[in-house]
Amino acid sequence: MRWTERDWEGKILTNERVEAMERCRFVKCDFRGARLSELETQSCTFEECDFGGANMSSSKHRGTSFLNCDFSGADLFGADVEHCRMVGCVFADAVLTAARMKGGDWSCSTLRMQELDGFDLSEMKLAGADMYGCSLVKANLRDANLEGANLQHAKLRQADLRGANIARIDFRNVDVKGAKMTVDQAILFAMSWGVEMGE
């Protein structure tokens, strides 16, 4: 089934089996437990929708906006998310193994405790994101916007942070052994530990 230019609000869509969506808009719709594996979306908008426990493995999303959506417990194994807006989304206990995230705006999203080792998160907007306890070992964060993100107890060992915006990040209790930084970033890192820079 393919949906084009549909506009729904408050609908329960848990039993729908959809293969593709294009230019659709959903507001406060219920997709909990829905079978959406291999779903493809293009230029769609989902606002405050609930995808809790949904199977979205191997799904593909291009230029789609998920705004304040709940993906708690959802299966996004092998999902391909390219240049999408995921602002304010919650991924508590979601499966992101083998997912591909390219660009896009993930500001203020909740990614607590996620295993993102080796992920390419370059140029992504993650400002204000809650990444508490995330494992980002060898992750590529080049030119990402991490301003104000919560990285407490995160593992950034051997991660590449060059060019990333790391302003307003508290690096205490963050494992950055072997991480790559520019000189300017190293100064911000030191300042978060209370080091005063001067001649």
Side-chain angles (χ1 to χ4, degrees), residues 108 126-131 145-151 165-170:
C108 301
L126 289 157
D130 186 354
M131 304 176 77
N145 184 357
L146 294 162
E147 182 174 2
N150 177 14
L151 288 169
N165 182 352
I166 59 172
R168 298 192 302 110
I169 292 178
D170 184 354

Side-chain angles (χ1 to χ4, degrees), residues 16-35:
E16 300 291 341
R17 188 71 177 98
V18 190
E19 296 175 356
M21 302 178 185
E22 186 173 358
R23 299 187 305 279
C24 294
R25 180 173 179 265
F26 304 90
V27 179
K28 296 182 178 179
C29 290
D30 186 351
F31 292 91
R32 285 179 296 178
R35 295 177 297 164

Side-chain angles (χ1 to χ4, degrees), residues 56-95:
M56 302 179 72
S57 59
S58 301
S59 58
K60 297 181 180 179
H61 310 278
R62 302 285 185 275
T64 289
S65 294
F66 295 91
L67 309 176
N68 299 311
C69 293
D70 189 351
F71 292 91
S72 295
D75 183 357
L76 289 154
F77 179 90
D80 193 343
V81 185
E82 184 173 337
H83 298 300
C84 292
R85 296 182 66 208
M86 312 294 287
V87 178
C89 291
V90 176
F91 294 90
D93 298 317
V95 176

